[in-house]
Amino acid sequence: QVRLVESGGGSVQAGGSLRLACVISGYTSNSYCMAWFRQAPGKEREGVAFLAGYGSTGYTHSVKGRFTISQDNAKNTLYLQMNSLKPEDTAMYYCATTARGRDCSIGNFGYWGQGTQVTVSS
C-alpha cells in the first residue's frame, strides 16, 4: 500500500542546485522517520539526511550546510534541497520511510522509492 515516487533529479554543473521530491502515498509521513539515501557506482548506500516524525534532522557530514531535508505534510511530500553541488554528490538518490512508530535506525527503513539520478559535472 505504501508507495514513494521520486522526482527532481538531473544533470547540473558544480555549484548548482537541485530539489528532489518524494510523494508518499498509503499513509501520511508525520508519524515515522523519513530519509534520503544515495548510492554511487561501486560504493555502498549512504544515509544522507534524516527527518524524524517529531522534527529532528540529521545529515551526513559531507552535506552539512549544503543540503536541507524538509516535508510538506499537506502534500505528503518529502524534499531534499541540494545547494552548492559537487561532483562527489553524483549518485542515485532514494527516499525511504520507516514503518509507523519506528525510529531512524537504518534497519527500520522498509519502504523505498525507485531512485532518481543526480549527476554533477565539473
Side-chain angles (χ1 to χ4, degrees), residues 43-105:
K43 296 184 178 180
E44 295 183 351
R45 187 169 295 181
E46 173 190 29
V48 176
F50 298 83
L51 177 61
Y54 49 88
S56 295
T57 60
Y59 300 89
T60 191
H61 181 74
S62 64
V63 309
K64 287 182 178 179
R66 300 189 297 120
F67 291 11
T68 303
I69 187 171
S70 63
Q71 65 175 325
D72 184 334
N73 288 328
K75 299 180 179 179
N76 289 334
T77 302
L78 180 72
Y79 297 97
L80 183 67
Q81 179 67 47
M82 304 185 293
N83 298 325
S84 301
L85 283 162
K86 304 175 180 179
E88 51 262 44
D89 295 318
T90 296
M92 185 73 73
Y93 283 72
Y94 303 87
C95 63
T97 65
T98 64
R100 182 175 290 106
R102 302 287 186 176
D103 64 20
C104 292
S105 298

